[in-house]
Amino acid sequence: MDGDRNDETAVIFTSRLTGTDPAGYAEAASRMETLAAQQPGYRGIQSARGTDGLGITVSYWASEADAVAWRDQPDHAATREAGRARWYAEYQVVVAHVARDYRWTRG
Amino acid sequence: MDGDRNDETAVIFTSRLTGTDPAGYAEAASRMETLAAQQPGYRGIQSARGTDGLGITVSYWASEADAVAWRDQPDHAATREAGRARWYAEYQVVVAHVARDYRWTRG
């Protein structure tokens, strides 16, 4: 199924953790994924954290305005502040407009 | 340092592995990251694979043409075919144009 993400906005969030309060971080991360899925324009999320500590989360939105609304959602904003205070050593957000996509599944 | 990725093209590659030949996969993945870094327009790569098996690799390119050239690079194309034959259960490629970015580092 190609092209189904065309015109979406992708938010690529990469982070490294301090290692402080891992249980609190895990709870918050899970809660934010659930909350994101309830927002207008949500199209999906994928997340991975490797053994070297780098985490990558990509969320997809129907429009850039939907992505901005999620950034500014009050519970999300408060959790991000908690993340700056405790969990994150560093993070980067890249906002990008999807041009095309391609999917392959083993037959 | 904000905005330094503006106008780049991001290639978001997500995959799940079959579990066949993990050593061969690891060698190929490492070799492809090294090869990508030698290509024209390469701007960086980030990769993570979580314990649930989902892997996310994001590579950044100066232009979409550079990203397409990397897709078509012969050694890369051959390795992708090997991946379809052996390593990948499924994968998805999303090509997106970077609009803006934001970076935060613990002070």
Side-chain angles (χ1 to χ4, degrees):
Chain A
M1 188 167 61
D2 296 355
D4 57 321
R5 293 202 180 284
N6 285 2
D7 300 324
E8 292 186 13
T9 290
V11 179
I12 306 163
F13 179 82
T14 54
S15 66
R16 292 186 188 276
L17 302 178
T18 57
T20 299
D21 183 29
Y25 169 75
E27 185 278 327
S30 171
R31 197 161 50 81
M32 287 304 105
E33 288 210 9
T34 300
L35 185 63
Q38 297 165 358
Q39 304 307 305
Y42 172 86
R43 293 293 176 85
I45 198 164
Q46 293 175 307
S47 202
R49 187 173 298 279
T51 51
D52 66 350
L54 179 71
I56 304 176
T57 297
V58 186
S59 61
Y60 292 95
W61 302 89
S63 71
E64 187 164 349
D66 290 323
V68 168
W70 165 237
R71 180 195 69 192
D72 295 339
Q73 198 278 345
D75 192 7
H76 185 207
T79 303
R80 185 167 54 242
E81 287 308 304
R84 289 189 193 228
R86 284 200 291 277
W87 305 313
Y88 293 121
E90 58 179 330
Y91 65 76
Q92 182 186 44
V93 182
V94 174
V95 178
H97 301 144
V98 174
R100 53 198 171 78
D101 76 312
Y102 174 78
R103 207 173 282 199
W104 179 83
T105 304
R106 181 166 294 274
Chain B
M1 189 166 62
D2 295 355
D4 58 322
R5 293 201 181 281
N6 283 4
D7 301 324
E8 291 186 12
T9 290
V11 179
I12 305 163
F13 179 82
T14 54
S15 66
R16 291 187 188 277
L17 302 177
T18 57
T20 300
D21 183 28
Y25 169 75
E27 185 278 326
S30 171
R31 197 161 50 81
M32 286 304 105
E33 290 209 9
T34 300
L35 186 62
Q38 298 165 357
Q39 304 307 306
Y42 172 86
R43 294 292 178 85
I45 198 164
Q46 294 176 305
S47 200
R49 186 171 299 277
T51 52
D52 67 350
L54 179 69
I56 305 176
T57 297
V58 186
S59 60
Y60 292 94
W61 301 90
S63 71
E64 187 163 349
D66 290 323
V68 168
W70 166 238
R71 181 195 70 193
D72 295 341
Q73 197 278 344
D75 191 9
H76 185 206
T79 303
R80 184 168 54 243
E81 286 310 303
R84 289 188 193 230
R86 285 200 291 279
W87 304 313
Y88 292 121
E90 58 180 328
Y91 65 77
Q92 183 186 43
V93 182
V94 174
V95 178
H97 300 145
V98 174
R100 51 195 170 80
D101 76 312
Y102 174 79
R103 205 174 284 199
W104 179 84
T105 303
R106 180 166 294 274

